[in-house]
Amino acid sequence: MAEASVRARDDGAGRYAAAEGLELPRPLRLLLTAGWSLAESAGLPVAAYLVAAWIGGRNTGVLAGLAVIWLTAVIRKVATGSVPGLLTISALVLTVQTGLVLATGELWLFLLQFPLANLCMCALFARTAGGPNPLVARLAAEVVALRQPATRNPGLHRFFQNATWLWAGIFLLLTIALAVLMVTEPTGPFLLLSTLATAALIVAGTGVSALWFLSVLRRLGLRLRFAPA
């Protein structure tokens, strides 16, 4: 009887929130939330870069983009008390890239920004993967406003930890691939192949993560639903 009770408790650890579910905003609200998150972490610095580069050249544009993204981070911190994960990632990566772009006119240092940026991403994901707040869970909450059950589900938490390790591995693989391309390919083919490799791995990682997430929800008996209107 005691053994059966222990088994029931162990099973309950993964399925106790079966009556609960995960919630996403309504489709229009979801698009607005994701759109704003992407706009402040990528759209604003890119727009600042384009305007400033048109007025004062590439270096002016790079500095303007960096200034805008850090200003956005400061405003977020003052207004809300925290800085979104995607904004933090973009600010750190852009800082590394800006430093390398402005440091010297040597081509190899300019190209080094691409593998180094991915190495920074790998470190950011790996640093949080084993902890209580894995980066994938934080990004899901911030970018698409995913709401988890009120009581933390251990199985769902393990998924977010493992998915964070997955993305750390993806960015490590990109780091290695771009480093190899950097020393084996001329500049033109390198830029094209690095773009294609990055896009392919990001799309593949997103697809795998989504399918894995849905599989975990089915196994845990959790539902994914839109918030009430």
Side-chain angles (χ1 to χ4, degrees):
M1 177 71 72
E3 184 178 350
S5 176
V6 169
R7 284 201 303 269
R9 285 198 300 271
D10 289 341
D11 181 67
R15 308 182 70 89
Y16 68 87
E20 298 186 71
L22 290 87
E23 191 174 271
L24 287 170
R26 303 294 295 178
L28 180 57
R29 180 67 178 173
L30 177 60
L31 289 175
L32 291 174
T33 301
W36 174 250
S37 180
L38 293 173
E40 69 177 2
S41 60
L44 291 178
V46 168
Y49 168 81
L50 292 174
V51 172
W54 178 68
I55 295 172
R58 186 197 68 181
N59 288 0
T60 302
V62 168
L63 289 172
L66 182 64
V68 164
I69 199 164
W70 278 108
L71 179 60
T72 304
V74 169
I75 292 173
R76 273 286 207 161
K77 181 67 174 178
V78 171
T80 67
S82 64
V83 181
L86 191 59
L87 183 59
T88 301
I89 290 171
S90 297
L92 293 176
V93 169
L94 189 56
T95 300
V96 171
Q97 292 179 315
T98 300
L100 289 173
V101 168
L102 300 179
T104 178
E106 293 189 29
L107 180 63
W108 73 270
L109 272 177
F110 172 77
L111 297 179
L112 189 61
Q113 65 174 295
F114 298 100
L116 273 184
N118 283 285
L119 184 59
C120 289
M121 296 285 281
C122 171
L124 285 170
F125 277 86
R127 189 176 66 87
T128 66
N133 188 26
L135 189 51
V136 168
R138 181 178 173 186
L139 292 176
E142 293 173 351
V143 177
V144 297
L146 178 70
R147 293 179 60 186
Q148 297 189 40
T151 306
R152 191 174 76 173
N153 185 300
L156 192 59
H157 181 65
R158 281 193 299 272
F159 161 76
F160 283 120
Q161 288 182 316
N162 292 334
T164 302
W165 280 120
L166 170 67
W167 280 97
I170 287 172
F171 287 113
L172 179 60
L173 180 59
L174 271 173
T175 300
I176 296 170
L178 297 189
V180 170
L181 288 173
M182 179 181 158
V183 298
T184 59
E185 298 292 336
T187 303
F190 166 78
L191 293 174
L192 174 62
L193 291 173
S194 64
T195 300
L196 292 175
T198 300
L201 280 175
I202 294 297
V203 169
T206 301
V208 169
S209 298
L211 293 175
W212 187 10
F213 178 60
L214 294 176
S215 174
V216 168
L217 292 187
R218 285 195 298 270
R219 178 169 58 82
L220 296 176
L222 294 170
R223 295 176 299 150
L224 181 63
R225 60 177 182 265
F226 287 115

